[in-house]
Amino acid sequence: MVQDYYRSSNKDFLLARGDSFVLLQDISFKFDMIFADPPYFLSNGGISYQSGKVVSVNKGDWDKRNGGYDEVMTFNRKWLKLCRDNLKENGSIWISGTYHNIFSIAQCLMELGYRILNVITWQKTNPPVNISKRFFTFSTEFVIWARLKPKVPHKFNYDLMKVLNEGKQMTDVWRMPAIGRWEKSQGKHPTQKPLGLLSRIILASTDPGDWVLDPFSGSSTTGIAANLLGRKFVGIEKEEEFCDLSARRREEMEDEMVRKDWMNHIPDIRILQSLRTKDAPTTKLGF
């Protein structure tokens, strides 16, 4: 049985501290959706530019690649196989990455029998400056969306996505900013994803009350977004400092004013709230 490191008062947010390769085997529950932000293996001593300063791209020992391509394949194949055992038959998984790891993940997904549905291109509206001027500015990350089985239908709130896109079909290119200052009030994780990105992913492929798993929870943006949208969350995180950061973020959300402020910062939620106030009878609002 998995021991909680932190549990919210209403039990909609559970965080366990430990190695996903161990804890995933101890979870017998099946989830409606999984979001994973695994190591990108890009901590190689490079530099970037943030907030007017030159900074190292190194994230930590957990993001360093000590071996070659085979080691990366083994790592990705192992956690993706474990996730299969924790996903409902109609469930789906979303995995974020860059060119450093995304091709390996795609190959492992196909080897393990998943069906890849989309590869979302997240185009950042505020990318870091290209200080070397030796290549095009990196402004995108990718999110693979796959379902568990090739012939078992997955959950997709297609009409809701159209509502969020002014009545037009939503494409696989999403223009969104990286995290804002308001998302760092309790501290910052080095690979923290924006709540806007996770909110759209959760709205697209889950319903209120569904359970969402994140095996590399980090600062638990997945869990915060899930709870904002009326979903339930289980996260696994190895580093204690990030478990503490996650707990502080979830506790901060207990303040109703903070909760409302966060929701007002997320464009998709603002749109749905405006429709809710208009009481649109034909719109499934998703939370």
Side-chain angles (χ1 to χ4, degrees), residues 157-174:
N157 296 321
Y158 168 82
D159 291 331
L160 180 59
M161 294 298 101
K162 282 186 68 176
V163 168
L164 296 176
N165 198 41
E166 300 179 341
K168 298 176 287 187
Q169 290 183 330
M170 187 173 287
T171 73
D172 58 2
V173 178
W174 298 354

